[in-house]
Amino acid sequence: MKTWLEGLFGKGRPRTAGETSLESQAMTSSDDATVSRTHISPEERVVLLIGILDDPAAREDEKFDAAWDLEDFSGPVVETCLIRIIRAEDFTSVLAQHCAESLGGIWARTGRVDPSFMTELRGPAKDEVFGILGSRAPHLLPDSTF
């Protein structure tokens, strides 16, 4: 699996001028006219988006877009990635806020939260999650004991 992912992300080699960036591959829309050439499955799109977040060479705006786009997906891999980034960014960076916004959106859509991470949330990331839940799924907000 590791070898496959390294090959997918081109680890250890610079991108060539003819290669498409991970961002453009991950952001390809099904309405796009080029879909027949670049269509990727939702699972592949998740891997690409997470790869952007984990890529130290990715631009800040690419990471922001990837974090936002992950809100359209669900599952433990997506949630674990968003939580990991929020923690790594110490709950305060703009990237942590974008990840928190997506995580809150996922939780609102799926109707469930991670109670242990909810107690860990703080700062701007907490404000984002609680703001999303407050507007989309207030029944998921914890008691005022948090």
Side-chain angles (χ1 to χ4, degrees):
M1 177 82 164
K2 183 178 178 187
T3 305
W4 178 80
L5 287 173
E6 287 174 354
L8 180 66
F9 296 121
K11 187 174 183 176
R13 66 174 178 79
R15 292 180 186 154
T16 64
E19 288 182 302
T20 306
S21 74
L22 289 176
E23 179 185 37
S24 64
Q25 290 178 37
M27 307 306 164
T28 301
S29 164
S30 60
D31 296 332
D32 194 341
T34 62
V35 101
S36 62
R37 290 191 335 246
T38 61
H39 179 72
I40 57 175
S41 71
E43 295 81 11
E44 291 171 315
R45 185 165 286 135
V46 166
V47 169
L48 291 168
L49 291 169
I50 290 172
I52 292 167
L53 289 174
D54 289 338
D55 183 356
R59 295 187 326 255
E60 191 175 67
D61 63 314
E62 290 176 321
K63 290 185 179 213
F64 294 165
D65 289 344
W68 277 326
D69 289 342
L70 281 172
E71 182 177 343
D72 295 333
F73 303 94
S74 301
V77 171
V78 174
E79 291 183 32
T80 299
C81 172
L82 293 171
I83 289 170
R84 180 177 43 80
I85 298 294
I86 293 166
R87 285 180 178 139
E89 296 289 318
D90 198 31
F91 301 86
T92 59
S93 74
V94 174
L95 181 57
Q97 291 175 54
H98 291 317
C99 289
E101 182 179 349
S102 288
L103 185 62
I106 291 167
W107 287 349
R109 187 181 71 248
T110 61
R112 59 169 188 71
V113 299
D114 178 338
S116 64
F117 187 66
M118 287 282 281
T119 61
E120 189 179 337
L121 275 169
R122 63 182 186 277
K126 180 179 181 176
D127 295 340
E128 290 293 336
V129 169
F130 279 46
I132 294 292
L133 292 178
S135 67
R136 297 185 198 171
H139 62 283
L140 295 175
L141 287 171
D143 295 332
S144 60
T145 57
F146 282 88

